Amino acid sequence: MPFALLKHGLTRHRSVPDVFPEPGELKDSYDIVIVGGGGHGLATAYYLAVDHGITDVAVLERGYIGGGNTGRNTAIIRSNYLTPEGVKFYDESIRLYKDLSNDFDMNILYSERGHYTLAHTDSAIRTMRWRAEVNKHFGIESELVMRDDLMKMVPQLDYSEDVRYPILGALYHAPGAIARHDAVAWGYGAGAARRGVHIHQNTEVTGFEITGANGHAGRVTAVKTSRGTIRAGKVLQAVAGMSGHVAAMAGFRLPLKTVPLQACVSQPLKPFLDAIVVSGSLHVYVSQSSRGELVMGGSTDPYGVYMTRSTLDFKEGLMMHLLEMLPFISEVKLLRQWAGMTDMTPDFAPIMGETPVDNYYIDAGWGTWGFKATPVCGKENARMLATGEVGDLIQPFALQRYHDFNLVGEKGAASVGH
Amino acid sequence: MKIMPCPLNGPRNISEFACGGEVEHLPPPDCDHAAWIDYVYLENNTAGVVREWWYHTPTAYWFVAERDTRTDEILRTWPAGEFLAEFGEGR
């Protein structure tokens, strides 16, 4: 290994495996154009090819594959949400995740760790009990554990009572897992490309050609890009933080605010924390990756910007709270920090399905909960694009719900104040 | 530390402030359903210069700030009264 490394270091041409074969020029027309080459867009392309045999598909990505929020989340996968709609949806996603390494023939390092959402107040205990009961009703492993049991299950935490938020108990979700997020994007992308889907990186969408009155109830006929115009049978937008911008090009507005969510990792440490630990009151979530780094995140930024900068406020706040839970890591250094632009909805649930433009579909509003939904989104989007039917699992997340005052109210979402 | 130039309190740490969203026209009470949905839920979510309501929490003071959401620069602030006198009831 070291000699091979040395050899490649000294030669000019290195043999990098070609995961995404370059499709070359854009074709004049595609049956389906997917705007956004993140996890959701690539998964949709993958299931269009695998489940429905549709391969006349282009995925258009402004940057590079996995460079957006798919590679910027903290890779936590769980289904212990609060609303029945959310629980059923995310549970299907977990079911798909478990088979992904086999499906891709590529290890996504899916690792079941057990997920603990800490409760520091009586009202939080009440909410955890409520969530556990909703979860169990849908057959999901989810339990309220009180402090004495929790001390045996996650002995790493500080259980003293002379802290700002003493730990009273936790919602324990055994299937809670982490995975290598880049591998998820690469697996879906490579699988789709191998079956004939065109993945065009460095291709920015600049507009749409839409027929019909004032863009209302019109039809999209073509997608304008930085590399030319493509005729399209159907279009799906899956662009996270840029959702409002792309929807505006298609002629409609969304109930979204783009807000950065920051995260960071520590230097690698010997394995000591098996569990994924989350605290809503302390605005902290932490897990230890298979590389030994502590992967840490907090709450979304207090106001919206279209930037992925990191702030001192975020790090100060996060570390102060993290040290209350894990005081012994005070000498550990921070290794990397970054941010992603999240698209937050007012009810913390996604927006999926039909839009005011006939053959234009949307996958947005993924705020802080998008990565864990990647497989189920791909599956359901593919079904919708292939058959025109909006599946039962995503029906509750229609954009129309705001017009009907029928919001979802997903208070099980992470890193947001409720 | 990000500094917000507050019209009442001078330059202060932005963690003392809360953002109240873009300045929008309140629709008339007899507006139709669509106008109400528009006001309550839909966002411009502008990537560019926006005018927003901001609130200084310790002094319970509302004012208007002009900010570029692409660069996180605060360009200008107004006391609410001055802003409304200059731009009327809406923008």
Side-chain angles (χ1 to χ4, degrees), chain A residues 38 96 127 137 145 163 169 171 173 190 273 335 338 354 371 407 413 415:
Chain A
L96 293 165
T127 310
H137 181 70
V145 288
V163 291
L171 181 69
H173 179 49
L273 185 66
L335 191 66
W338 66 92
E354 291 164 328
F371 174 66
L407 273 57
S415 45

Side-chain angles (χ1 to χ4, degrees), chain A residues 51-272:
Chain A
D51 290 359
H52 305 281
I54 299 173
T55 55
D56 190 18
V57 177
V59 179
L60 308 179
E61 167 58 46
R62 181 173 71 163
Y64 60 94
I65 297 306
N69 291 355
T70 304
R72 293 169 185 270
N73 54 69
T74 45
I76 297 170
I77 299 161
R78 64 186 176 93
S79 65
N80 58 346
Y81 276 72
L82 179 63
T83 61
E85 296 88 347
V87 171
K88 281 190 279 187
F89 179 76
Y90 293 106
D91 190 45
E92 176 62 13
S93 208
I94 285 202
R95 201 183 62 74
L96 293 165
Y97 256 121
K98 287 180 178 172
D99 291 335
L100 277 194
S101 292
N102 273 330
D103 293 351
F104 294 163
D105 195 18
M106 177 199 252
N107 192 353
I108 66 160
L109 304 182
Y110 188 85
S111 165
E112 275 190 13
R113 296 294 191 82
H115 182 281
Y116 296 82
T117 313
L118 302 181
H120 305 270
T121 59
D122 287 344
S123 61
I125 291 279
R126 200 157 56 234
T127 310
M128 297 310 166
R129 188 168 279 136
W130 176 14
R131 269 169 75 175
E133 292 307 318
V134 173
N135 295 164
K136 279 189 272 193
H137 181 70
F138 292 100
I140 286 154
E141 286 177 69
S142 188
E143 292 286 344
L144 176 69
V145 288
M146 299 309 285
R147 187 167 174 271
D148 290 350
D149 292 322
L150 191 61
M151 287 170 84
K152 294 182 202 121
M153 298 165 89
V154 194
Q156 296 90 342
L157 302 178
D158 181 1
Y159 290 94
S160 59
E161 294 191 1
D162 51 354
V163 291
R164 174 69 183 82
Y165 290 108
I167 297 166
L168 302 183
L171 181 69
Y172 169 51
H173 179 49
I178 54 174
R180 187 172 180 206
H181 48 204
D182 308 298
V184 174
W186 296 335
Y188 275 126
R194 208 163 46 232
R195 290 170 176 83
V197 169
H198 284 190
I199 297 168
H200 294 285
Q201 306 184 62
N202 293 313
T203 307
E204 182 176 355
V205 170
T206 55
F208 299 100
E209 284 176 17
I210 291 174
T211 60
N214 311 322
H216 293 293
R219 284 185 68 79
V220 59
T221 54
V223 181
K224 293 184 234 170
T225 79
S226 54
R227 294 170 56 203
T229 300
I230 320 169
R231 275 178 290 119
K234 287 177 181 172
V235 175
L236 172 78
Q237 79 159 72
V239 296
M242 298 308 282
S243 290
H245 182 68
V246 174
M249 292 195 279
F252 58 95
R253 293 168 85 208
L254 292 172
L256 289 178
K257 284 183 185 169
T258 296
V259 184
L261 175 64
Q262 304 184 39
C264 52
V265 298
S266 74
Q267 63 188 114
L269 306 167
K270 284 184 180 176
F272 73 94

Side-chain angles (χ1 to χ4, degrees), chain A residues 253-254 258 303-304 306 403, chain B residues 33 38 43-45 67 69:
Chain A
R253 293 168 85 208
L254 292 172
T258 296
Y303 60 94
Y306 279 85
H403 298 266
Chain B
H33 186 77
D38 208 86
E43 303 281 350
N44 293 328
N45 201 17
R67 189 168 71 86
T69 59

Side-chain angles (χ1 to χ4, degrees), chain A residues 69 71-76 181 258-265 282-286 294-319 322 334 336-344 367-368 414-416, chain B residues 2 14 72:
Chain A
N69 291 355
R72 293 169 185 270
N73 54 69
T74 45
I76 297 170
H181 48 204
T258 296
V259 184
L261 175 64
Q262 304 184 39
C264 52
V265 298
L282 289 169
H283 299 294
V284 168
Y285 44 92
V286 59
L294 290 176
V295 183
M296 303 168 280
S299 51
T300 52
D301 274 18
Y303 60 94
V305 286
Y306 279 85
M307 290 174 88
T308 50
R309 54 102 173 90
S310 285
T311 64
L312 181 64
D313 280 355
F314 159 76
K315 284 185 283 292
E316 274 186 343
L318 178 65
M319 295 313 153
L322 198 67
L334 212 61
R336 294 193 308 278
Q337 57 179 70
W338 66 92
M341 296 192 308
T342 69
D343 40 341
M344 301 295 291
T368 62
S415 45
V416 284
Chain B
K2 183 85 186 160
I14 201 150
D72 198 18

Side-chain angles (χ1 to χ4, degrees), chain B residues 7-61:
Chain B
L8 181 66
N9 303 285
R12 305 291 305 176
N13 185 348
I14 201 150
S15 64
E16 293 179 12
F17 297 84
C19 180
E22 280 185 50
V23 177
E24 281 185 89
H25 276 292
L26 181 67
D30 57 346
C31 71
D32 64 0
H33 186 77
W36 190 240
I37 299 288
D38 208 86
Y39 178 71
V40 175
Y41 293 125
L42 300 187
E43 303 281 350
N44 293 328
N45 201 17
T46 311
V49 176
V50 287
R51 287 170 180 169
E52 295 166 315
W53 288 105
W54 280 78
Y55 179 68
H56 183 245
T57 312
T59 54
Y61 175 72

